[in-house]
Amino acid sequence: MLAGSAVIGRLWDRLDGRTGLAVVFGLALAAYWIEALAWPLQRGRDSWDYWLYWLQLGDSHPAISQVMLFRTPLTPIATGLPMSLGGAQLLEAVMSLIYASAAVAWAWAVRPFGRAAAAAVAALVLALQLPYAALFHLVSSDFLFGALVPLFAGCVVRAALGPTRGALVGVGLAAAALTLTRPAGQIVVVAAALAALVASGAWRARLGRLAVVVAAAVIPLLLWAGVNAVRYDDFTVVRGGKAFVPFFKVFGERRIDPANGPASRRLSAVVDAGVLRQPPFARRHVDAHTYFRGPSNFETIRLIALSDQEFGRASNYDVLYDASVEAIRKHPGWYVRSVASTFWDFVDARYALEPVRRARTFPPHPLVQYVNGKAMPTPYALSPLAQAARFGFVWCPTDEIDRCILHDPSVAFASPRDQRRYRELTNRVRDWNEQLPIRNGNGTLESKLATLSFHTPRSILWIVVGAIALVLRRPRGTAGLVVLLVAAALVLLVHALSQGPQTEFELPLAPLFVLVAIAALVAPRGSATVPGE
């Protein structure tokens, strides 16, 4: 018995370090390729726009210019470079390595709380976080954001337990990377600042740490804003914040009304002149009230483009923002309930990928919708939208890419050079789109994985377990774990303020709640010494 215990002890010691991380990496890599039999690499949210960004990264005067300001660079690079070098086959291989690295990063993130915590988190991420793993089979920003979250988490944990300069710089740089992957990551800088303050010490020392974190986060973002200023004449990390928070949600939930206030009336007047007098709307006598009761992503991007045209780019979408604020002031209870409901949906959602098939059919879509009994053209009747061509494909109402490409680029681009470049870009994106999904999924395996994925414990369960354990046990490092919960809550809140429920916004954070729960349960209490790394 003693000999067996000694063997287990030596094995445990050997696994605590690079050997253990290599084992986690290998298991994660194997898990990915088993999942890939059921979930072959396929297009995810906004893939076309990320590819457009990548393909224009070297253009001094990009034809599809607004993509470069409404997106951030890391996802285009991570997905576009492999596609350029080796197509979808190489991209799938790269994403498998990123997934395996992310699994290792989750174990690394929680290691300061002990070997058991690292082993448990790695096992749970691999075994019970199938929805998280599914993100790495979709070409979108979600997988990359999810791969960066454990790096941020690990740096926050280390900064809270022993705020070395390296840990503090890591917190700031990770926050900047999250921002350059998904614009909502900007709010993580607030949590990064909190991470600098929670470790014990005099306030002078804490303020010094805060300066290090803020500098590490803000300097890269300022440099990127400078790049945008030089290349695209817009000093911003990402454009369009006011057009999405809260306008996207308010417009999408049919709350914009000319009667709400002066900004709403200004917007209504522009819609009347710039949209409703066009033949598809004029022919059906669509008025502003009906238009605002039939929203879509298609029309949201049209209004963003219309705002640039009518109010000027320098207005920074103030009219859209003010119109949404007027709607919220008129119905504050609705907005609070809607945000709360969306937030709850994030943490209580279930998720499973649909079956993957290369042969796709696109059923006919209705060309007319009825709003309070009045006819209005649908986005499918209006696509492609020439007015929003410079914004990429974000407005596209269908997965049928050919219906989202202008047959005559001259309707949107006056310059022959831009027309030619538009054709080159859209042809390349069309070719890449045809490579995905990369193959058909295995029907039997995808059914089993979908069932397991759908029945994965929801995030709210891990959050409740973690919160209770933090209150009852108060382990060492509690402040850092609370900062991680605050960071996740802020990211989800930004999304809840701007739009309806979309599971992909929460899934990159799902293992974070597992990490907090496990660390709260097994970390040494109070002043106990945390095991070395």
Side-chain angles (χ1 to χ4, degrees):
M1 180 70 71
L2 292 176
S5 298
V7 170
I8 293 173
R10 286 196 297 272
L11 179 61
W12 187 241
D13 289 338
R14 181 170 294 181
L15 289 175
D16 184 31
R18 293 181 180 177
T19 301
L21 295 181
V23 169
V24 172
F25 187 90
L27 290 174
L29 201 60
Y32 181 92
W33 287 108
I34 293 172
E35 294 160 4
L37 297 175
W39 300 331
L41 186 66
Q42 58 186 296
R43 189 172 68 84
R45 297 183 314 108
D46 301 328
S47 306
W48 298 339
D49 286 338
Y50 294 125
W51 290 339
L52 283 175
Y53 190 115
W54 163 254
L55 293 170
Q56 295 184 108
L57 200 54
D59 292 0
S60 57
H61 300 285
I64 307 178
S65 55
Q66 297 310 296
V67 166
M68 313 307 288
L69 290 168
F70 277 76
R71 303 288 177 183
T72 43
L74 293 190
T75 302
I77 294 170
T79 61
L81 180 58
M83 287 298 292
S84 293
L85 294 177
Q89 299 280 352
L90 178 59
L91 178 56
E92 187 174 41
V94 168
M95 289 177 70
S96 73
L97 295 175
I98 293 175
Y99 173 68
S101 300
V104 169
W106 284 113
W108 168 82
V110 75
R111 178 59 187 86
F113 295 112
R115 292 184 293 187
V121 168
L124 289 170
V125 167
L126 292 176
L128 291 183
Q129 290 296 309
L130 278 175
Y132 172 77
L135 296 179
F136 294 80
H137 300 274
L138 299 168
V139 181
S140 71
S141 65
D142 304 315
F143 83 90
L144 191 59
F145 196 86
L148 291 171
V149 169
L151 300 180
F152 175 77
C155 291
V156 167
V157 165
R158 286 158 175 78
L161 291 173
T164 64
R165 185 173 295 273
L168 296 170
V169 170
V171 170
L173 290 178
L178 288 168
T179 299
L180 295 176
T181 300
R182 182 184 285 172
Q186 293 175 87
I187 196 67
V188 176
V189 176
V190 176
L194 290 176
L197 300 175
V198 295
S200 60
W203 274 104
R204 183 174 180 179
R206 295 188 188 196
L207 292 176
R209 298 176 207 151
L210 178 63
V212 172
V213 169
V214 171
V218 172
I219 289 175
L221 298 181
L222 287 176
L223 290 174
W224 185 250
V227 170
N228 284 337
V230 171
R231 300 198 67 192
Y232 315 120
D233 197 28
D234 201 331
F235 186 77
T236 182
V237 174
V238 63
R239 186 169 169 81
K242 288 186 176 180
F244 291 99
V245 185
F247 177 76
F248 191 83
K249 186 183 191 76
V250 175
F251 177 59
E253 297 200 16
R254 301 172 173 82
R255 294 290 172 165
I256 300 294
D257 191 311
N260 288 343
S264 301
R265 287 191 289 274
R266 285 187 70 192
L267 179 58
S268 178
V270 166
V271 166
D272 183 68
V275 180
L276 303 184
R277 296 183 187 180
Q278 295 181 9
F281 293 91
R283 188 164 54 247
R284 294 179 174 85
H285 307 289
V286 178
D287 58 19
H289 184 80
T290 302
Y291 176 84
F292 288 123
R293 291 298 178 273
S296 64
N297 187 47
F298 183 94
E299 294 299 335
T300 301
I301 304 304
R302 185 205 294 271
L303 292 180
I304 290 173
L306 198 61
S307 174
D308 285 342
Q309 176 185 322
E310 298 297 328
F311 305 126
R313 286 174 55 81
S315 70
N316 199 25
Y317 311 110
D318 283 341
V319 175
L320 302 183
Y321 177 83
D322 291 344
S324 58
V325 170
E326 288 172 353
I328 293 170
R329 286 175 177 166
K330 191 167 184 178
H331 305 283
W334 154 77
Y335 188 65
V336 172
R337 289 191 299 273
S338 180
V339 170
S341 174
T342 300
F343 195 97
W344 174 256
D345 284 338
F346 283 147
V347 298
D348 193 48
R350 298 183 184 276
Y351 181 82
L353 282 179
E354 296 291 328
V356 181
R357 297 292 180 270
R358 274 193 58 79
R360 291 165 292 175
T361 58
F362 301 99
H365 296 284
L367 302 182
V368 177
Q369 62 179 325
Y370 289 89
V371 180
N372 296 332
K374 297 180 179 180
M376 177 177 167
T378 68
Y380 307 106
L382 303 169
S383 182
L385 183 60
Q387 192 174 15
R390 293 186 184 275
F391 290 82
F393 289 101
V394 65
W395 50 269
C396 189
T398 174
D399 289 334
E400 191 174 1
I401 191 171
D402 285 333
R403 291 198 58 185
C404 305
I405 295 175
L406 298 170
H407 298 296
D408 179 10
S410 66
V411 300
F413 302 95
S415 162
R417 180 188 63 83
D418 285 350
Q419 295 169 23
R420 182 173 59 255
R421 185 60 174 150
Y422 175 83
R423 290 192 183 94
E424 292 172 354
L425 293 168
T426 54
N427 286 341
R428 190 70 176 276
V429 171
R430 183 194 286 112
D431 291 342
W432 285 0
N433 182 66
E434 289 177 357
Q435 297 181 35
L436 299 174
I438 202 166
R439 58 188 167 272
N440 291 329
N442 179 284
T444 301
L445 187 57
E446 68 187 2
S447 175
K448 294 183 181 301
L449 285 183
T451 300
L452 290 172
S453 179
F454 189 78
H455 290 94
T456 292
R458 291 163 290 171
S459 290
I460 186 61
L461 299 178
W462 296 108
I463 293 170
V464 170
V465 169
I468 292 173
L470 286 174
V471 171
L472 295 182
R473 295 190 71 246
R474 296 192 62 82
R476 188 172 179 226
T478 290
L481 297 176
V482 171
V483 168
L484 293 180
L485 290 177
V486 169
L490 289 173
V491 171
L492 295 180
L493 179 61
V494 167
H495 288 303
L497 289 169
S498 63
Q499 49 205 300
Q502 197 161 349
T503 315
E504 290 88 345
F505 292 139
E506 187 272 338
L507 289 180
L509 301 166
L512 181 68
F513 303 127
V514 177
L515 181 154
V516 171
I518 296 301
L521 287 170
V522 306
R525 291 194 181 196
S527 59
T529 302
V530 176
E533 298 177 51

